[in-house]
Amino acid sequence: MNNPKGPNNLDIEINNETASGVYSNLALINHSGTEFVVDFIQVMPGMPKAQVKSRVVLTPQHAKRFLRALNENVHRFESQFGEIKDHESTAMPFSFGPAGEA
């Protein structure tokens, strides 16, 4: 397939390990004046510790773009598959790194 390169085309590569993804059922977000830090965490039932599986650091501008893109994709998903139910979850006690800033 011929895909001419232009100013709006970007080749993106992904290795096999990254392509397999990381499961996360909790995300914690911290921010400073210059960045947002999103920690994707895997919490296992009955386990006293949870593990950060991935950390993504974003500029404020990229965080806002990500928020818009995620919101748009959730709306598309719900249009196709129905409303995503937000089940109330039990509050978890956290003891995780410094508070307030990343």
Side-chain angles (χ1 to χ4, degrees):
M1 185 167 143
N2 189 5
N3 187 8
K5 300 277 188 237
N8 294 326
N9 292 327
L10 178 65
D11 276 339
I12 299 174
E13 295 181 1
I14 187 168
N15 64 37
N16 288 339
E17 183 180 353
T18 303
S20 67
V22 173
Y23 177 74
S24 171
N25 54 3
L26 176 67
L28 294 179
I29 304 169
N30 287 294
H31 66 276
S32 67
T34 58
E35 62 192 14
F36 281 75
V37 177
V38 185
D39 286 325
F40 293 96
I41 299 163
Q42 187 178 85
V43 179
M44 300 305 288
M47 298 298 288
K49 284 190 174 184
Q51 189 174 41
V52 174
K53 293 295 187 173
S54 182
R55 173 173 280 182
V56 177
V57 182
L58 303 161
T59 65
Q61 294 81 8
H62 281 103
K64 193 165 190 174
R65 286 185 199 122
F66 180 71
L67 174 65
R68 278 191 296 233
L70 186 58
N71 193 34
E72 181 180 319
N73 277 273
V74 167
H75 285 302
R76 282 189 208 159
F77 178 93
E78 288 182 328
S79 293
Q80 186 174 357
F81 300 105
E83 181 184 357
I84 299 169
K85 303 291 186 216
D86 187 13
H87 301 286
E88 292 291 323
S89 60
T90 307
M92 291 186 227
F94 292 109
S95 92
F96 178 76
E101 286 199 15

